[in-house]
């Protein structure tokens, strides 16, 4: 096995852990938390789960970025960013960048404080907003994965 194959293995496993976790939070955990009666129990449960997942997501996004950029470097694939048929490369970078900014900057320094403030006073609105945001990010991620798998096997939608 060469380093490109190892990078691809790391990349796929990291994406599975990362986006799989986002799918779990979006489709299972948030709906369950939203149904809890106690405001405090909702907040405590969500923060415990999200806190544990945050570390997994951070490690996964770092590994995804490192392996992805390495594969582009190794294959000298930078020129592909100039062609519309490789839109999925742009989408992968965009999704990775959005999540990286959220996980490493916005969540610890902005969202965490806002969540504590609004989750107690406006729980329905807060959890609905968080759920919609997760759905948006999950759908964007799924579209990107579809494009990346299809595009890397020669099926171009454009």
């Amino acid at each position: 096995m060469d380093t490109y194959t190892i990078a691809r293995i790391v990349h796929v496993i990291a994406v599975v852990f990362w986006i799989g976790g986002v799918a779990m939070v979006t489709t299972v955990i948030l709906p369950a938390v939203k149904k809890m009666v106690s405001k405090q129990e909702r907040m405590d449960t969500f923060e415990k789960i999200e806190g544990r997942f945050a570390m997994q997501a951070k490690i996964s996004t770092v590994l995804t970025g490192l392996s992805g950029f390495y594969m582009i470097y190794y294959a000298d694939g930078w020129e592909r960013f100039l062609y519309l048929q490789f839109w999925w490369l742009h989408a992968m970078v965009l999704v990775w960048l959005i999540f990286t900014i959220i996980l490493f900057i916005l969540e610890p320094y902005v969202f965490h404080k806002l969540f504590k403030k609004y989750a107690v006073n406006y729980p329905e609105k807060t959890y609905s907003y968080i759920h919609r945001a997760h759905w948006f990010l999950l759908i964007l991620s799924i579209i990107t994965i579809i494009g990346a798998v299809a595009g890397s096997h020669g099926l171009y939608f454009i």
Side-chain angles (χ1 to χ4, degrees), residues 1 7 23 34-35 77-78 80 84-86 103 106-107 114 118-119 121 128 132 134-135 140 144 146 150-151 158:
M1 276 198 306
K34 284 170 61 175
K35 290 183 180 180
W78 301 108
R80 290 182 177 187
L84 193 56
Q85 71 189 37
F86 297 106
L103 289 168
L106 295 178
E107 161 54 29
L114 287 175
Y118 288 100
N121 297 324
S128 290
R132 283 193 311 270
H134 276 80
W135 268 112
L140 182 62
T144 301
I146 290 168
I158 296 176

Side-chain angles (χ1 to χ4, degrees), residues 67-78:
S67 59
F69 285 116
Y70 176 78
M71 288 188 291
I72 290 292
Y73 166 78
Y74 183 91
D76 195 23
W78 301 108

Side-chain angles (χ1 to χ4, degrees), residues 12 15 56 63 74 97 149:
V12 170
V15 169
Q56 175 183 319
L63 290 174
Y74 183 91
L97 190 60
V149 172

